[in-house]
Amino acid sequence: MAMGETAILQYRGKNYELPVVVGTENEPAIDIRQLRAQSGLITLDDGYGNTGACESAITFIDGETGVLRYRGYPIEELAEKSNFIESAYLLIFGELPSAAQLKEFRKLLSDHEFIHEDLRHNFEGFPPNAHPMAILSAMINAVGCFQSQVVQPSDAESFTVAAARLMSKVRTIAAASYKKSIGRPMIYPRHDLYYTANFLHMMFSKPYQNYEPDPEVVRAMDLILLLHADHEQNCSTSTVRMVGSARANLWAAVAAGVCALWGPLHGGANQEVIEMLSQIHASGQSVESFIIKAKDKHSNTRLMGFGHRVYKNFDPRARIIKQACDAVLKKLGIHDPLLEIAKKLEETALRDPYFIERKLYPNVDFYSGIIMRAIGIPVNMFTVMFAIGRIPGWIAHWREVQTTPNARINRPRQVYQGAVQRSYVPIEQREWAAPQTLSSATASR
Ligand code: ACO
């Protein structure tokens, strides 16, 4: 953290000198921690669009130029040369592993791939149509109850085991929740398979028939997980940090992150993209008329998979995914009409002044769903795939919160805009029109 410069804020005839903090990529930020104590002012930033909630050493994004780096390594290089588990290790522990460290981490992932046999019954408590993200969140908390050791974030050995345990079991829970949703028996993990292939095995094998995934399919799935592994202070990661700041345990914080990710404006968007494309395909609606609707504020329709809070030029993950999408579909010999619609939507939107002016570009979700569809992942599992990918990032952020010296519980302030102080009025003296309740609505009929 570089310091030295200051910013001056003038308010009611007084000057307030505020320190400027500069990050390692030269991003300046005004440190307002003492502002309220000195001036009585707080800052208002609805949606935290311009608020640095923490200092972090995990992931760097430059939204203006489309840069994404995990621990300094460009996402393009990692996508080409690394794999999900190695990149997960990098995110969680800060450095790429040596061969021995990677082997040890892979062994830990294998050792912890089972969930406690008693937990199999927990799946029976969910209705068949329960969303797998609801099951995932609930089961992460449930599995956490079976972990008697408290994770020591600063103890390398205990933390490594905890990280591997969570990453490994999440994948088993995810596949089991899918099997539950289709009324099929859960499939045990296979010790001889690496992480992603093992997951696909648990998803698609049957008790009488092993699924042997095409290496291209494994590579594509692994790439999707890698590209989702971290994205600094997004909604779900901020949730994990927020919950973690209360010193909640790793499992509880990650379960909360899953719930945040489920939202359609966040991780749920990949499911929404396929639903949007399928709807356009089924209705025969033209791409042009859909774009007109997406621009109309009254239509309640958005071009899903477009736009990003941070990327205002392009999402580097979307570029990588688009290429992979073409390659996988070609390799598998699949012609997907939804891919054609997606490409036309992209072309049309990128020429349209509405999208150009607002700097709206395809995000990672725009093409990832098409790959997952080609692999055979059901649409309601798309966000679960995102969650499996995001686990290393959440673990890294949870640990960063726990190991930051003097870290405080997260507690934003607000600008109150409600009623000013008033006195309680006994019910028989209240003359204003009360909000309509169910009983008053029934009575008036
Ligand atoms: N389609 C049509 N219009 C859009 C879209 C879209 N996908 N996204 C933003 N806009 C418009 C807004 O209506 C707004 O217009 P206005 O200035 O005339 O009012 C303007 O662009 C800015 O939009 P905001 O909602 O203020 O942008 P914000 O940064 O808050 O939201 C978000 C970003 C949520 C990603 C938004 O672009 C969106 O809803 N996209 C579709 C959902 C999606 O793909 N989400 C995935 C995000 S990536 C991820 O989580 C992995």
Side-chain angles (χ1 to χ4, degrees):
M1 164 172 103
M3 287 183 77
E5 279 184 285
T6 54
I8 307 285
L9 175 79
Q10 213 175 49
Y11 176 64
R12 291 188 177 164
K14 271 192 177 175
N15 280 355
Y16 298 95
E17 209 174 334
L18 301 164
V20 172
V21 179
V22 184
T24 51
E25 290 285 348
N26 294 323
E27 283 182 313
I30 299 173
D31 180 345
I32 53 133
R33 277 173 283 195
Q34 298 304 320
L35 178 64
R36 185 168 178 274
Q38 290 169 359
S39 66
L41 285 167
I42 64 163
T43 55
L44 176 63
D45 182 19
D46 193 14
Y48 309 124
N50 198 40
T51 292
C54 60
E55 291 177 78
S56 178
I58 301 169
T59 287
F60 173 69
I61 298 176
D62 181 342
E64 269 66 43
T65 54
V67 168
L68 167 61
R69 295 186 204 127
Y70 294 165
R71 302 280 188 186
Y73 294 96
I75 194 69
E76 293 80 3
E77 264 188 61
L78 293 171
E80 191 193 332
K81 299 177 182 158
S82 183
N83 55 56
F84 175 57
I85 293 305
E86 190 186 56
S87 297
Y89 189 100
L90 168 70
L91 282 166
I92 297 172
F93 302 104
E95 294 296 339
L96 285 167
S98 67
Q101 285 169 326
L102 186 60
K103 192 173 166 205
E104 174 60 20
F105 194 56
R106 283 201 183 278
K107 183 177 176 311
L108 283 172
L109 288 168
S110 294
D111 288 350
H112 293 286
E113 62 197 2
F114 283 92
I115 52 173
H116 197 287
E117 208 51 21
D118 291 352
L119 277 164
R120 290 167 65 88
H121 304 295
N122 283 37
F123 287 93
E124 289 159 21
F126 296 98
N129 58 355
H131 196 285
M133 285 296 271
I135 302 182
L136 185 66
S137 173
M139 289 300 293
I140 287 174
N141 244 328
V143 174
C145 301
F146 282 73
Q147 314 306 317
S148 52
Q149 296 135 303
V150 178
V151 183
Q152 298 296 345
S154 46
D155 172 44
E157 205 181 319
S158 110
F159 181 72
T160 308
V161 173
R165 193 179 266 152
L166 177 57
M167 274 185 67
S168 189
K169 291 191 195 304
V170 158
R171 162 194 58 166
T172 309
I173 297 168
S177 73
Y178 168 59
K179 290 293 190 189
K180 152 79 189 159
S181 72
I182 56 166
R184 296 274 162 78
M186 291 172 201
I187 300 293
Y188 284 121
R190 259 174 60 184
H191 224 56
D192 59 319
L193 293 177
Y194 277 162
Y195 191 89
T196 305
N198 203 354
F199 169 69
L200 291 169
H201 150 73
M202 286 188 276
M203 282 286 290
F204 299 123
S205 284
K206 302 181 177 102
Y208 52 86
Q209 189 182 33
N210 263 348
Y211 166 82
E212 298 297 344
D214 185 309
E216 191 82 33
V217 166
V218 178
R219 172 78 193 134
M221 192 68 243
D222 201 82
L223 178 68
I224 289 177
L225 298 179
L226 184 155
L227 293 178
H228 285 89
D230 193 42
H231 214 232
E232 50 118 304
Q233 310 306 319
N234 56 86
C235 178
S236 54
T237 303
S238 299
T239 302
V240 170
R241 291 188 77 114
M242 170 76 81
V243 176
S245 80
R247 300 285 175 265
N249 72 61
L250 177 63
W251 298 83
V254 166
V258 171
C259 291
L261 187 68
W262 187 7
L265 294 189
H266 190 13
N270 53 17
Q271 175 170 344
E272 302 265 333
V273 169
I274 290 295
E275 283 163 4
M276 171 187 78
L277 297 174
S278 306
Q279 215 180 346
I280 296 173
H281 182 55
S283 67
Q285 187 183 9
S286 74
V287 158
E288 288 73 18
S289 70
F290 183 83
I291 293 285
I292 291 171
K293 207 165 136 197
K295 294 189 291 183
D296 177 2
K297 293 278 179 310
H298 305 294
S299 71
N300 217 8
T301 302
R302 279 194 166 190
L303 177 52
M304 299 310 284
F306 253 68
H308 197 277
R309 171 59 64 80
V310 179
Y311 293 121
K312 299 299 176 197
N313 190 336
F314 66 92
D315 178 342
R317 302 166 302 171
R319 286 194 170 171
I320 299 168
I321 282 267
K322 187 179 177 184
Q323 276 177 7
C325 188
D326 280 330
V328 171
L329 265 63
K330 200 168 163 203
K331 176 77 202 308
L332 298 179
I334 294 175
H335 171 76
D336 189 342
L338 300 196
L339 179 59
E340 300 310 317
I341 296 174
K343 285 185 173 171
K344 270 193 210 149
L345 277 173
E346 182 184 351
E347 276 168 30
T348 313
L350 292 182
R351 281 198 310 263
D352 192 303
Y354 173 96
F355 292 90
I356 296 170
E357 281 157 20
R358 288 169 180 75
K359 300 184 184 248
L360 301 169
Y361 296 86
N363 59 50
V364 67
D365 292 322
F366 198 65
Y367 286 105
S368 61
I370 295 172
I371 301 188
M372 289 195 271
R373 209 168 108 96
I375 294 175
I377 308 277
V379 175
N380 69 350
M381 286 290 288
F382 285 5
T383 318
V384 173
M385 301 300 111
F386 189 157
I388 298 174
R390 189 51 58 87
I391 295 286
W394 288 337
I395 296 173
H397 283 273
W398 180 85
R399 188 190 201 196
E400 195 171 65
V401 170
Q402 308 307 316
T403 52
T404 299
N406 308 319
R408 302 169 77 196
I409 187 168
N410 289 6
R411 188 2 180 134
R413 286 189 176 269
Q414 63 169 15
V415 176
Y416 177 68
Q417 301 284 19
V420 294
Q421 185 177 338
R422 46 189 175 163
S423 289
Y424 181 83
V425 181
I427 195 159
E428 58 285 0
Q429 292 171 22
R430 288 176 210 160
E431 284 168 1
W432 59 83
Q436 205 181 39
T437 59
L438 188 61
S439 55
S440 61
T442 316
S444 66
R445 252 191 234 139

